[in-house]
């Protein structure tokens, strides 16, 4: 890689790696694995850098590598440690329903979701991607995104109850 | 609980302190990826660049030194590569006195390029500078390339003429270097040399041509849009391998094989697979080899599951099963004769040159490569590709 490309790549890493690591962490639920995923994705991004040209394309490319690598890792893994379960995690004790407890509780519930549902929810509601962008990132059809998000939210509601304010099923603005 | 899912996710993620990515490791890993690609890219030199105008002007370049005339055939049954200033050719080594950055074989020796783009003829008579190459744009970058007919005495490159870039061809049988002008500012695209005929795209004349290098007579293979989208990957014994709709910077989803552009058979690679454009025909045109990329999904992203060196019958498309070691990364390098192919094989703790025979597919180790050969940018394959980036 020529020096000018390397400098712009380093700028991209400095600006966006933290955000990418946070999203990766929400997808996989493990700090070390998230860091490894981002590291691996950045190696691929570095290789593709001359043809990516603008930072937006680079971020989308890196996010897609993270997502597809994470899902491939999920497929390879037996997933025994975090197998989806219908049993909700322990409900927070009464009187501790503050923000920290809410967050920890929701986090535990999110980790109960099947990986593809969790990835779809993170991309839609944390990364604010459209359904089409989510489908592109997950390398699947828009219909698959809809079904994964719907199933994930339904399960999340079942796990956390109705108290938690969840986003509507769809918040995309449709214009005609 | 009034916090939204989004804000809870944001808080959860923000509560974690991440280590910054390891840029040194990225640079190292990327360098290794580049090396793997260079091994592939080096093979791409079957494609070449050359151009001759309709009124192709053939110039005889004055020799700066006495011509290196030699007609002794070179033994071509041994595997070949170069490291530093040494060419390894079967059982012998040749010290050429300059760092070899690109290398092509001929029937009587080699032609090389050094770090300053100087072009040298290497024969049993010695090493002689015969010209200077220039980098021409290709796939969004610039490459210096050499082209040759391994069964003949010609080698070519893009050089600078009196008023424009020219294709230059050196004949080791006569010691002469000829320049072929294109008559325009756009750089020529040199595809291949086959039996004293060069194949190139002439952008100013909007065509792809086959030019007789002895007489300058040319035959137009394609014009207009067809010429602009035509890429010829290999020509041997009059058989062409080409693409009619290749996308810039893309690999190949299909190739066409035939004796003319309009009468060729198309082979389409399987879904989620693409071939490197380093497609090489055997000297008689009966077999073709390439490196196939198998992707985990749609191949538009850098998600390669496997690299597969493949050989097919150029007529039927039948796949030859190669008995190469697994796991390994094998790259087809050059045909040593009609039925013997040289492979570079990289595996755990080893790097070897193999020879494989078709159609039986049997393979044997032909040479062990020293560790220094496969580190950095040291290894130069006899494909004409530039390793000097």
């Amino acid at each position: 890689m020529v020096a000018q490309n390397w400098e712009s790549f380093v700028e991209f890493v400095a600006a966006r790696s933290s955000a990418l690591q946070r999203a990766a962490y929400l997808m996989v639920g493990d700090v070390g694995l998230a860091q490894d995923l981002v590291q691996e994705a950045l190696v691929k991004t570095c290789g593709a850098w001359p043809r990516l040209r603008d930072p937006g394309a680079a971020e989308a490319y890196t996010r897609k590598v993270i997502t597809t690598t994470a899902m491939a890792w999920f497929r390879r893994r037996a997933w025994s440690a975090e197998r989806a379960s219908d049993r909700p995690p322990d409900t927070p004790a009464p009187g501790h329903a503050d923000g920290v407890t809410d967050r920890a509780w929701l986090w535990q519930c999110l980790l109960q979701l099947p990986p593809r549902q969790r990835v779809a929810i993170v991309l839609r509601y944390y990364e604010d991607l459209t359904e089409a962008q989510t489908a592109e990132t997950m390398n699947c059809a828009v219909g698959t995104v809809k079904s994964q998000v719907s199933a994930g939210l339904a399960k999340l509601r079942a796990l956390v109850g109705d108290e938690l304010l969840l986003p509507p099923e769809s918040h995309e603005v449709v214009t005609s | 609980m009034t916090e939204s899912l989004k804000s809870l996710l944001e808080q959860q993620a923000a509560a974690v302190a991440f280590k910054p990515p390891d840029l040194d490791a990225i640079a190292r890993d990327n360098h290794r990826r580049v090396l793997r690609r260079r091994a592939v890219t080096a093979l791409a030199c079957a494609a070449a660049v050359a151009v001759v105008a309709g009124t192709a002007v053939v110039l005889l370049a004055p020799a700066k030194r006495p011509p290196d005339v030699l007609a002794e055939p070179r033994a071509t049954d041994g595997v070949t590569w170069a490291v530093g200033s040494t060419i390894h050719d079967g059982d012998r080594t040749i010290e050429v006195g300059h760092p070899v950055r690109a290398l092509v074989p001929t029937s009587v020796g080699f032609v090389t390029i050094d770090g300053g783009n100087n072009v040298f003829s290497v024969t049993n008579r010695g090493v002689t500078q015969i010209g200077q190459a220039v980098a021409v744009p290709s796939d969004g970058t610039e490459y210096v390339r050499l082209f040759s007919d391994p069964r003949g005495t010609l080698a070519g490159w893009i050089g600078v003429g009196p008023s424009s870039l020219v294709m230059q061809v050196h004949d080791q049988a006569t010691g002469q270097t000829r320049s072929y002008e294109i008559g325009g500012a756009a750089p020529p695209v040199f595809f291949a040399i086959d039996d004293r005929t060069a194949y190139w795209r002439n952008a100013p004349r909007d065509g792809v041509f086959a030019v007789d290098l002895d007489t300058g007579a040319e035959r137009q293979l394609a014009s207009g849009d067809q010429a602009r989208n035509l890429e010829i990957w290999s020509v041997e014994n009059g058989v062409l391998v080409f693409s009619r709709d290749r996308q810039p910077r893309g690999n190949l989803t299909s190739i066409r094989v035939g004796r003319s552009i309009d009468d060729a058979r198309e082979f389409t690679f399987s879904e989620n697979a693409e071939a490197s454009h380093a497609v090489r025909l055997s000297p008689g045109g009966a077999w073709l080899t390439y490196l196939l990329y198998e992707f985990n999904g749609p191949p538009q992203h850098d998600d390669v599951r496997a690299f597969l060196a493949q050989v097919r019958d150029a007529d039927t498309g039948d796949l030859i099963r190669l008995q190469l070691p697994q796991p390994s990364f094998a790259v087809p390098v050059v045909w040593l004769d009609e039925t013997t192919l040289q492979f570079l094989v990289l595996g755990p703790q080893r790097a070897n040159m193999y020879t494989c025979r078709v159609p039986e597919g049997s393979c044997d180790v032909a040479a062990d490569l020293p560790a220094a050969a496969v580190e950095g940018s040291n290894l130069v394959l006899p494909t004409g590709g530039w390793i000097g980036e």
Side-chain angles (χ1 to χ4, degrees), chain B residues 103-132:
Chain B
L103 169 73
V104 287
T106 68
S107 62
V108 294
F110 297 94
V111 172
T112 64
I113 292 180
D114 72 2
N117 293 355
N118 300 302
V119 184
F120 296 87
S121 174
V122 179
T123 69
N124 286 351
R125 293 284 181 86
V127 179
T128 307
Q129 184 177 346
I130 55 175
Q132 187 162 44

Side-chain angles (χ1 to χ4, degrees), chain A residues 17 21 25 31 35 39 43 47 61 64 102-103 105-107 110 125-126 128 136 139 163-165, chain B residues 1-3 5-6 8-12 16 18-19 21-23 25-26 29-30 33 298 301-302:
Chain A
S17 62
Q21 286 174 322
Y25 166 65
V31 175
Q35 290 175 163
Q39 179 79 16
V43 172
Y61 177 88
K64 175 156 187 167
D102 289 351
R103 192 183 79 213
W105 186 24
L106 177 64
W107 178 240
L110 194 68
Y125 298 112
Y126 175 74
D128 281 331
E136 165 65 18
N139 212 12
E163 297 175 17
L164 182 62
L165 179 63
Chain B
M1 294 184 187
T2 56
E3 292 177 288
L5 174 60
K6 177 176 174 60
L8 285 167
L9 290 173
E10 286 174 343
Q11 289 173 25
Q12 179 68 28
V16 178
F18 296 97
K19 289 190 300 187
D22 185 341
L23 285 167
I26 290 172
D29 289 348
N30 185 58
R33 291 165 61 85
H301 290 284
D302 192 0

Side-chain angles (χ1 to χ4, degrees), chain B residues 273-317:
Chain B
E274 293 180 340
S276 156
H277 56 266
V279 184
R280 290 187 169 277
L281 280 163
S282 62
W287 308 97
L288 58 88
T289 186
Y290 52 85
L291 186 69
L292 191 74
Y293 302 78
E294 281 194 345
F295 295 83
N296 286 311
Q300 69 268 29
H301 290 284
D302 192 0
D303 191 18
V304 179
R305 180 178 63 199
F307 297 93
L308 300 174
Q310 294 192 333
V311 177
R312 288 184 184 272
D313 185 313
D315 184 40
T316 66

Side-chain angles (χ1 to χ4, degrees), chain B residues 211 278 300 349 388:
Chain B
V211 176
Q300 69 268 29
Q349 307 300 314

Side-chain angles (χ1 to χ4, degrees), chain B residues 7-189:
Chain B
S7 65
L8 285 167
L9 290 173
E10 286 174 343
Q11 289 173 25
Q12 179 68 28
V16 178
F18 296 97
K19 289 190 300 187
D22 185 341
L23 285 167
D24 289 340
I26 290 172
R28 284 195 305 273
D29 289 348
N30 185 58
H31 184 59
R32 281 194 285 269
R33 291 165 61 85
V34 169
L35 288 180
R36 285 200 301 272
R37 288 189 172 181
R38 278 181 184 163
V40 175
T41 301
L43 301 173
C45 52
V49 203
V51 186
V52 160
T55 53
V57 180
V58 180
L59 307 172
L60 288 177
K64 294 179 180 175
R65 300 182 187 183
D68 55 315
V69 180
L70 180 80
E72 297 174 33
R74 180 179 70 88
T76 56
D77 56 344
V79 294
T80 302
W81 75 93
V83 174
S85 59
T86 304
I87 297 173
H88 298 260
D89 181 31
D91 294 331
R92 65 175 180 160
T93 57
I94 305 166
E95 179 58 45
V96 298
H98 58 264
V100 177
R101 310 308 298 172
L103 169 73
V104 287
T106 68
S107 62
V108 294
F110 297 94
V111 172
T112 64
I113 292 180
D114 72 2
N117 293 355
N118 300 302
V119 184
F120 296 87
S121 174
V122 179
T123 69
N124 286 351
R125 293 284 181 86
V127 179
T128 307
Q129 184 177 346
I130 55 175
Q132 187 162 44
V134 296
V136 293
S138 175
D139 273 0
T141 183
E142 292 189 341
Y143 290 103
V144 174
R145 290 251 171 93
L146 285 169
F147 304 90
S148 76
D149 179 358
R151 259 54 61 182
T153 56
L154 302 179
W157 62 91
I158 299 297
V160 178
S163 58
S164 65
L165 295 181
V166 296
M167 180 183 72
Q168 296 185 309
V169 178
H170 178 79
D171 189 343
Q172 288 181 318
T174 65
Q176 290 184 329
T177 300
R178 290 183 170 187
S179 295
Y180 300 79
E181 292 187 338
I182 61 169
V189 179

